[in-house]
Amino acid sequence: MSEDLARAKTPQLELMNLIIGDWKARAVYAAAELGWPDRLADGPRTAAQVAADSGTDPVATQRFLQYLAALGVFREEDGAFALTGLGELLRSDREDSLRPYTLIAGSEFHRAWTGIASAVRTGQNAFEGAFQSSFFEYLSANPERGKLFDKAMAGNTALFDAIPDAYGFGAHQRFVDVGGGSGELAVRLLAAHQELHGVVYDAEQSAEAAKKAIADAGVAERCEVVSGDFLESVPEGGDVYLLARVLVNWPDEDCARILANCAAAAAPGSRLLLVERVSGPGVDNALLLSHDTLMYVLFGGGGIRSSAEVTRLLEEAGFALDSITPLPQEFSLISATRRS
C-alpha cells in the first residue's frame, strides 16, 4: 500500500476527527485558562519553564504543549515552544483576543452542551437544564462572568472595524446602540464620525464596562450610557437605532417586542441598523449552522434567520427594509427605515 493511500481521508477518519473535536477544544481552553500564551509572549520557552511559571506539572505540561503544537496553536523548535498566529490570538493583552470567548465557551457553553441529547429529547433549554437559570439571568447573577461575556463579544474587532464604513453615518446626529454591551462598537462609530453623538443602552452589568471603554477612548462628551431592559423600552431621540448581534439571541416573539420598542422610540424616517448573520445562498452554512445550534443550546430559541424572516419581523414592527450589505465573518448590515 502506498504512503499516499495509507494517509487518504476515509469516512472513519473524518468521523473520528468530528468525535475528538471536543478534545481539541478542551486543550485550547486549558491553555487559555492556564495563561500559557501570555507566558510565551516574549519568546520560546521550554515546557519546564512554562510549568514553573504557571505552577503546573512538568510532564503534563510537556504532553499538552506538544498536543497544542500539533493543533497549530504553538510551535515546537529545538526543545522549546513558541506562539503561532493562532496562539497569538489567545494572549490576554490583544484588543482582538479570543481568550475571553475561549474561557466562556470552555466553561458555561461547554457545560450546557453536555446536556444537549436530553434537551433535544425533551425540548428543554439546554442552558437552563444545566444552570437552573436563563443565560442572561445567570450573567446578571454572576457579574464577573457577565463582564467576561462582554469581553468575548467585544473581541470581534474585524466585524466592528468594518461597520463605520459600511453605512453613511455622516448624515446622522445621534445613534442609540441597543444592547450595546461594553461600548466597543459605539467607540468605533464615534471615532470614525466626529460629529456623531451616541447612547449605549444595555443591562446594568454592562454599564460600567461601557463607561470605561468610552472614557478611555476620549469620547465621553459625545456618548452617554443608559441602563435598562430593551424588552420593555429603549431611549428616544435617536435618528439611528443599532442592534448588533441582538436578535439572534431571542425567539420571534421577543424580537417583535424589541423591534416594536425601537419603532415606538424612533421618529418616522429614522433608520434601524441590524448586524446579524443571515442564511441564504453564498454563505458558509457550516459556520451559520454552528452558531444557530449554539443559540438553541443557550436560549432554546432565536438563531440565524433568512432575509425573508428578517424582513417579516421588520415590516410587522413598522420598518421597511432598505438594503442588506455583507460584512466580515458572514455577518450582514441590514438597513431599514421607520415608516410614517
Side-chain angles (χ1 to χ4, degrees):
M1 181 182 297
S2 72
E3 184 176 350
D4 288 343
L5 182 60
R7 292 180 177 178
K9 186 176 288 187
T10 65
Q12 290 85 353
L13 181 58
E14 288 190 58
L15 181 58
M16 184 58 72
N17 274 318
L18 293 178
I19 293 169
I20 68 172
D22 187 53
W23 304 354
K24 302 174 184 179
R26 301 309 294 163
V28 174
Y29 168 76
E33 175 69 27
L34 294 167
W36 286 350
D38 286 347
R39 301 179 194 285
L40 296 176
D42 293 331
R45 297 177 71 81
T46 66
Q49 290 171 321
V50 172
D53 287 347
S54 57
T56 54
D57 178 80
V59 175
T61 299
Q62 175 81 26
R63 295 279 286 274
F64 275 88
L65 285 172
Q66 287 177 326
Y67 182 36
L68 288 158
L71 296 177
V73 177
F74 301 134
R75 181 177 63 255
E76 186 176 7
E77 51 188 31
D78 299 326
F81 294 88
L83 291 174
T84 63
L86 297 182
E88 287 280 352
L89 289 171
L90 291 172
R91 287 174 54 174
S92 61
D93 58 350
R94 287 179 59 123
E95 184 183 17
D96 60 349
S97 175
L98 289 178
R99 184 174 188 266
Y101 191 89
T102 302
L103 294 178
I104 203 160
S107 181
E108 283 84 357
F109 292 4
H110 175 77
R111 182 174 163 189
W113 269 101
T114 58
I116 191 60
S118 175
V120 171
R121 288 190 188 99
T122 64
Q124 181 187 21
N125 180 311
F127 188 91
E128 290 186 4
F131 289 88
Q132 307 305 306
S133 169
S134 75
F135 182 69
F136 289 115
E137 288 171 345
Y138 170 83
L139 295 183
S140 180
N142 298 272
E144 290 304 313
R145 304 307 286 180
K147 292 177 184 177
L148 180 64
F149 179 71
D150 283 342
K151 288 181 181 178
M153 295 299 98
N156 198 341
T157 57
L159 172 62
F160 289 167
D161 289 343
I163 293 173
D165 293 330
Y167 180 77
F169 285 91
H172 300 289
Q173 296 181 338
R174 188 169 186 258
F175 68 86
V176 179
D177 188 359
V178 178
S182 58
E184 298 294 335
L185 178 54
V187 164
R188 283 167 170 77
L189 295 178
L190 294 165
H193 303 283
Q194 297 298 318
E195 303 303 316
L196 194 61
H197 289 69
V199 176
V200 175
Y201 181 66
D202 210 329
E204 181 66 35
Q205 66 263 24
S206 298
E208 291 306 313
K211 289 177 182 176
K212 183 178 186 306
I214 289 163
D216 289 348
V219 293
E221 73 281 359
R222 291 192 287 130
C223 190
E224 64 177 309
V225 177
V226 179
S227 60
D229 183 354
F230 52 54
L231 289 171
E232 300 299 327
S233 65
V234 302
E236 298 181 349
D239 51 3
V240 175
Y241 283 82
L242 174 65
L243 291 91
R245 302 177 301 179
V246 171
L247 299 187
V248 69
N249 300 331
W250 301 91
D252 281 2
E253 56 268 27
D254 287 326
C255 289
R257 291 175 63 188
I258 297 167
L259 292 173
N261 290 336
C262 290
S270 298
R271 293 297 178 88
L272 174 73
L273 300 179
L274 308 177
V275 178
E276 297 284 346
R277 288 187 169 104
V278 179
S279 64
V283 298
D284 183 347
N285 280 321
L287 175 65
L288 261 63
L289 289 173
S290 294
H291 285 90
D292 183 74
T293 308
L294 176 63
M295 294 305 101
Y296 189 85
V297 169
L298 297 182
F299 307 114
I304 309 297
R305 295 177 172 88
S306 67
S307 58
E309 291 171 320
V310 172
T311 300
R312 175 182 57 79
L313 286 170
L314 290 170
E315 290 179 345
E316 290 176 353
F319 293 95
L321 177 69
D322 296 322
S323 63
I324 300 179
T325 303
L327 292 171
Q329 300 171 8
E330 303 292 358
F331 279 94
S332 294
L333 180 67
I334 303 160
S335 173
T337 301
R338 175 72 168 94
R339 295 197 301 259
S340 301

